[in-house]
Amino acid sequence: MTEQLVPTRAGIVTVLGAPNAGKSTFVNQMVGAKVSIVTHKVQTTRTRIRGIAMAERTQMVFVDTPGIFVPRRTLDRAMVAAAWEGTDGADVTLLLVDAPAYLAMVNEDTADPASRRSAEDTDGIVARLKEAGQKAVLVLNKIDRMPRPPLLLLAETLNQEGVFTDTFMISAKKDLGTEGLRQFLIERMPEGPYLYPEDQLSDITDRLMAAEITREKLFLRLHQELPYSLTVETEEWGRTGKGELRIGQTIYVERDGQKALVLGQKGKTIAAVGKAAREDLAEMLGETVHLFLFVKVRENWTDDPARFREIGLEKPGRQTPRNG
Ligand SMILES: Nc1nc2c(ncn2[C@@H]2O[C@H](COP(=O)(O)OP(=O)(O)OP(=O)(O)O)[C@@H](O)[C@H]2O)c(=O)[nH]1
Ligand SMILES: [Mg+2]
């Protein structure tokens, strides 16, 4: 058979999980490019990001979602709602689990607070899937960080609710076990035309991606509650006199005191953030980039839904009907 006679397949794979489970790392691995930012901190991803992978005349659209956790602020609620809405119309839903964290909770005495929270958030997701009668595929991630024997116990424990049709064990970061999962997903995609142009890698605009990259650098350098109090917007995208790319961004914080922390002593922090972001942007865009960063106070923006649209989030509370 010639290639043209093989029908194309295309479908949507939604990736759910507790904060920090490795969802964005996994989506980047499947796409083969960085479409979603990754940090060691929880709640890095704030909106749904589609990463597009092509393989064997099959297009898989991976939907990276914000972590699902117990929300406190209006922003948190919008993030969690965006994650659940990501399962609407999905052909396959994956639940990614931080396996070492979950194991720590199963062996109760060793659970640190972060692992406990991660495992509790995972249990919350399983319970809600069960309640809604939704099936999913269990993906135990970060297996490079734990011994193999307890993985079977974990799989057994998590499969008790009857929510999962299949179980995979992978390391998204080290690219272990991902090929088997990719093949499984290819076979689960329905026949049909591609949903995006074949060479497109994501649905996120360059302006939003540029803001995300700067936010990633801020998350990596700032501590405690500060990363959760800031947002980045790309406000200028133009050319210098010499025709080189000029990007202007504003970092919004909630209070005056936070502004000083973002700037750092003698502006050292923001200079380092700007340098790291500019280097990534230049690589992503394949050209010289001049990046200008400003810091402004926008009081209580995390409780102001009108601000969420600019970071790719719908207003919270919008409920779309769920399929099946
Ligand atoms: N050792 C190890 N670390 C991993 C693996 N996958 C992801 N990580 C790390 O886990 C941390 C969180 O990864 P992310 O991909 O940002 O996780 P996420 O689920 O998208 O997190 P949120 O967006 O905050 O919900 C990062 O430090 C990753 O490098 C893995 O397979 N093994
Ligand atoms: Mg993420």
Side-chain angles (χ1 to χ4, degrees), residues 20 22-25 36-38 43-46 64-67:
N20 217 40
K23 301 174 294 298
S24 302
T25 305
S36 191
I37 61 169
V38 169
Q43 298 164 36
T44 299
T45 306
R46 285 186 177 158
D64 185 17
T65 64

Side-chain angles (χ1 to χ4, degrees), residues 43 46 71-79 219 225-231 252-255 258 297-308 311 313 316:
Q43 298 164 36
R46 285 186 177 158
R72 276 187 308 121
R73 309 168 299 174
T74 313
L75 174 66
D76 303 343
R77 279 196 290 281
M79 285 163 52
F219 261 57
E225 96 283 14
L226 194 47
Y228 306 103
S229 299
L230 63 83
T231 187
Y252 290 97
V253 293
E254 292 198 284
R255 296 190 302 275
Q258 295 172 332
V297 177
R298 186 187 262 170
E299 275 177 33
N300 301 323
W301 73 267
T302 56
D303 278 314
D304 180 4
R307 295 295 173 199
F308 301 165
I311 57 173
L313 271 179

Side-chain angles (χ1 to χ4, degrees), residues 36-56:
S36 191
I37 61 169
V38 169
T39 80
H40 59 290
K41 290 195 165 65
V42 296
Q43 298 164 36
T44 299
T45 306
R46 285 186 177 158
T47 185
R48 285 191 303 273
I49 292 171
R50 293 173 160 226
I52 302 152
M54 295 293 309
E56 301 173 21

